[in-house]
Amino acid sequence: MNFQFSLDSIFPEDLMIIGRDLTPKVVDGSLNSSTPSEYYYKHFCRLDPSSKMALGEVLDRMGAASARAQGLSQVITTMEKLRTSENHIVYIITRKHPDRSVDGADICVGFLKVGRKRLFILDSSGGQNEVMPVSVLDFYVHESLQRHGYGRQLFDAMLQTERVEPVHLAIDRPSDKLTSFLAKHYGLRQPCPQMNNFVVYPGFFSDREEDELFYPNKRRSPMKNGYEVTSMVGVNGSPSFSRHSHSSAASPCRPASREVRNLHDHHQLW
């Protein structure tokens, strides 16, 4: 998508990330611990008002294009929504024209928006689990630039930065194109639709020990008799308890021995 202004003044690098502070940052390290370098922070903050408006135009137009491509009645990604969100992050790719004297030649290729969402996800026993996974909320690559590797570049940068495995993602209303993309590049097949319009994949609950944000209501007490006692606050506020052996790395949801119908599918879920 072309814009009638230089994108180089807003996005000095081709692949950058933007959070609620609306400060473009270089993709480097974990978003939970990284801070923008002094150069990029000052670079953005010194933009004149017209350049800041240009950033809003990029986000708003790309968000609108994504909504049209997916047939959505409501735009998911705008600068205002990003500014008011608690933890949403937009990964964005631009392509600069080599001749800087050519106006309107810079291109915004696509973007990927992710964030932690508090969701209720069914496990293999049919039980609801309140979780906060990294979630894919919006994804768009301009139609003229699809199948050029840009989508893979966005996803790979996100996975590395967020330190998350593809199987651990929750996907909001994935299109057929996105479903095929995830199967081709990351081997994600047999999607498990949820009642909240999100989709997860087999293995979603496995190997979550290092994700401290996954269970938002988890409370841990000291070791007792060789076990770590974990309290999960129930939906109605009453606690429920599960015990995990300290010596074994048990996944949050063990595979069930029977197949469970999960909304639209019959296959083994986890």
Side-chain angles (χ1 to χ4, degrees):
M1 181 178 291
N2 294 83
F3 294 87
Q4 297 305 311
F5 47 81
S6 172
L7 296 178
D8 192 49
S9 61
I10 309 171
F11 306 108
E13 300 291 335
D14 289 344
L15 176 55
M16 302 191 75
I17 56 178
I18 310 171
R20 65 179 300 181
D21 60 358
L22 303 179
T23 303
K25 304 175 182 67
V26 178
V27 178
D28 182 21
S30 171
L31 293 179
N32 295 327
S33 61
S34 67
T35 56
S37 68
E38 184 179 6
Y39 168 77
Y40 287 111
Y41 181 75
K42 290 182 177 179
H43 181 86
F44 178 85
C45 290
R46 290 176 179 173
L47 292 178
D48 56 43
S50 63
S51 295
K52 293 183 180 180
M53 290 179 60
L55 172 63
E57 181 178 340
V58 171
L59 292 173
D60 292 352
R61 285 182 57 190
M62 292 297 288
S66 176
R68 286 194 301 271
Q70 298 178 66
L72 302 177
S73 59
Q74 184 177 3
V75 177
I76 300 173
T77 301
T78 66
M79 185 173 75
E80 180 62 18
K81 289 182 178 180
L82 182 61
R83 185 184 67 81
T84 56
S85 65
E86 182 177 354
N87 59 21
H88 293 177
I89 296 291
V90 170
Y91 292 72
I92 192 163
I93 288 184
T94 57
R95 198 170 68 183
K96 318 303 192 307
H97 195 280
D99 186 352
R100 305 313 303 152
S101 65
V102 179
D103 293 332
D106 292 345
I107 297 173
C108 187
V109 176
F111 72 94
L112 170 63
K113 184 169 77 170
V114 300
R116 292 271 180 177
K117 294 286 288 184
R118 189 180 294 263
L119 304 171
F120 288 94
I121 302 295
L122 297 177
D123 60 27
S124 62
S125 65
Q128 282 193 341
N129 294 265
E130 185 177 6
V131 295
M132 284 189 66
V134 175
S135 303
V136 174
L137 307 174
D138 202 359
F139 176 50
Y140 173 71
V141 174
H142 193 271
E143 287 78 2
S144 65
L145 295 168
Q146 294 177 7
R147 294 184 173 84
H148 286 71
Y150 292 114
R152 178 67 185 266
Q153 188 177 352
L154 282 167
F155 259 84
D156 284 351
M158 180 273 294
L159 294 170
Q160 180 179 2
T161 304
E162 299 292 339
R163 299 178 182 177
V164 63
E165 295 295 326
V167 73
H168 289 160
L169 296 170
I171 319 293
D172 188 12
R173 298 178 178 86
S175 64
D176 291 340
K177 282 187 177 181
L178 179 52
T179 301
S180 299
F181 172 88
L182 294 173
K184 175 182 178 181
H185 294 290
Y186 301 106
L188 298 182
R189 296 177 174 83
Q190 295 184 326
C192 309
Q194 304 292 309
M195 291 181 290
N196 51 20
N197 293 319
F198 277 78
V199 165
V200 297
Y201 287 85
F204 177 76
F205 283 96
S206 302
D207 301 321
R208 288 286 190 173
E209 291 81 0
E210 296 183 2
D211 188 352
E212 297 179 354
L213 301 178
F214 182 62
Y215 287 107
N217 295 324
K218 180 185 290 186
R219 300 291 182 269
R220 289 186 175 181
S221 63
M223 298 292 295
K224 295 182 180 180
N225 300 324
Y227 285 86
E228 177 184 24
V229 181
T230 302
S231 169
M232 296 294 295
V233 180
V235 176
N236 60 359
S238 60
S240 60
F241 295 91
S242 61
R243 305 182 73 190
H244 302 289
S245 172
H246 185 65
S247 60
S248 62
S251 63
C253 177
R254 292 182 179 274
S257 59
R258 59 185 178 85
E259 291 191 353
V260 180
R261 180 188 297 271
N262 182 10
L263 301 179
H264 308 302
D265 294 313
H266 298 270
H267 54 264
Q268 184 74 29
L269 301 186
W270 320 111

